[in-house]
Amino acid sequence: MFTILIAAIGPALLLLWYVYRKDTQPEPTRMIIKGFFFGGLSALVSTFISGPLLNMGLYTTDPQSWQEALKIAFFGAAIPEECAKLLMLWLLLRNSEEFDESYDGIVYATCIGLGFAAFENVMYVVSAGADWAGVATSRALFAIPGHFAFAVCMGYYYSQYHFGRGNHQSAKIKMILYPVLLHGAYDALCFFSELNEALSLIITICLIAFCIWLFKFTTDRIKQEAADNEYIGSGKDIRRNGYDINQDWTDRPEDQ
C-alpha cells in the first residue's frame, strides 16, 4: 500500500517542489502544507458543485456522443473543479501576510491544484486494483501535469488581479475562465478518444501534443515570472528585456 501511495502522490510532490525551488523568497513550509491540504479538500468541495449540475441534467456520467462528452468535460469536471480550487485559493490567501509577491500566486495555486490532483490520484490508483501501476503511470504523465498547468494559469492571473498588474480587471475573469477552458479542452480530448475507436489514435496524439504544449507553456511562464520576481526584489527598474513586466503574458513579445 505504501508503494501505491507513493506512486499516486509522488508526481504531484515533484511538480510542487519544482515550483517551490524557483521562488527566490520561499514561502513558509506551513503555508505550503496548508495549501496542499486545501487542494485535497477542494476535490470534495467540487462534488457539491458537480452534483447539482448533474441533477439539473447539464451532463451525463456516460457520454455517448461528442456533445455529451463536451458537457461532462466542462460541467462535470472543468467548471466545478476549477471553481472549487479558486474558492480554496481565496480562503488560503484572503488574510495571509505571506502573499506579498506576484510569484506567490503561482506557488499557492500550484499547492491547491496539486493537492487536488494527489487526492484524486489516490482514489483512481487505489481503486485500480492489480492494474494500479498502469493507472499511476498514465495519470503521472497526463492528469497530474494537467492540473499543474491549470493551477499555474490560475495563480498567474490571481496575482495579476491581487497586485493590480496589467489589466487587472480582466484578470479577475481570466483567473477562472482560462483554467476552465484549458481543463475542459483536456478532458474533452480524453472523452473523445474513448468514443470513436477509428479516431482514437489520432485524438490521443492530439492529446499528447496538447499536454506537451501546455507543459512547456506553463514552465516558460514559471521561469519568466520567477525571474521577474527576483528582478523586482533586487530594487531595479521594473522594465526588463525591453518590456514592462506588468504586461499580460499573452501580450509579451515572445508570445506574438
Side-chain angles (χ1 to χ4, degrees):
M1 179 59 73
F2 180 74
T3 302
I4 294 177
L5 290 177
I6 291 298
I9 299 175
L13 294 178
L14 284 175
L15 287 174
L16 181 56
W17 173 249
Y18 168 77
V19 171
Y20 180 78
R21 71 184 182 87
K22 290 289 183 181
D23 195 352
T24 55
Q25 300 180 57
E27 301 308 297
T29 303
R30 60 178 175 78
M31 285 293 290
I32 298 297
I33 295 174
K34 185 178 179 181
F36 197 77
F37 173 78
F38 271 34
L41 188 59
S42 71
L44 298 176
V45 173
S46 69
T47 63
F48 291 98
I49 303 174
S50 61
L53 295 180
L54 176 62
N55 293 334
M56 292 168 61
L58 293 179
Y59 72 95
T60 174
T61 56
D62 185 26
Q64 299 298 318
S65 67
W66 303 95
Q67 293 85 351
E68 290 180 350
L70 277 174
K71 287 180 181 179
I72 190 174
F74 282 92
F75 292 109
I79 292 174
E81 291 178 9
E82 297 307 321
C83 285
K85 293 175 190 175
L86 182 57
L87 172 62
M88 299 310 291
L89 180 62
W90 175 75
L91 289 174
L92 178 68
L93 298 180
R94 63 191 178 114
N95 294 319
S96 176
E97 296 180 356
E98 306 297 343
F99 185 29
D100 55 2
E101 299 167 334
S102 182
Y103 187 70
D104 294 350
I106 289 179
V107 173
Y108 289 122
T110 301
C111 289
I112 300 289
L114 292 177
F116 180 104
F119 181 89
E120 184 181 63
N121 220 33
V122 169
M123 298 298 102
Y124 276 100
V125 173
V126 170
S127 64
D131 191 37
W132 68 267
V135 172
T137 300
S138 175
R139 292 187 59 81
L141 292 175
F142 296 103
I144 291 182
H147 282 290
F148 167 69
F150 313 148
V152 171
C153 182
M154 179 182 290
Y156 176 86
Y157 285 110
Y158 194 93
S159 282
Q160 288 270 306
Y161 175 71
H162 181 80
F163 293 107
R165 294 178 55 190
N167 187 341
H168 110 271
Q169 286 303 320
S170 68
K172 181 166 56 174
I173 299 174
K174 291 175 181 177
M175 73 171 76
I176 184 61
L177 177 62
Y178 283 7
V180 165
L181 290 177
L182 292 173
H183 193 157
Y186 168 86
D187 277 14
L189 286 171
C190 290
F191 288 121
F192 288 165
S193 67
E194 299 175 358
L195 288 176
N196 191 314
E197 292 184 3
L199 296 176
S200 179
L201 179 59
I202 296 176
I203 296 174
T204 300
I205 293 174
C206 291
L207 175 62
I208 293 173
F210 177 72
C211 288
I212 292 174
W213 170 82
L214 191 59
F215 189 74
K216 183 180 185 305
F217 190 75
T218 299
T219 52
D220 285 347
R221 296 310 129 187
I222 287 174
K223 293 174 184 176
Q224 183 64 65
E225 192 72 2
D228 289 346
N229 200 58
E230 181 177 16
Y231 200 78
I232 294 173
S234 69
K236 298 179 181 178
D237 188 84
I238 65 170
R239 295 191 63 84
R240 186 176 185 273
N241 295 335
Y243 60 82
D244 189 334
I245 64 169
N246 286 329
Q247 285 180 277
D248 188 335
W249 73 7
T250 56
D251 295 331
R252 292 183 176 178
E254 66 265 34
D255 298 323
Q256 304 302 317

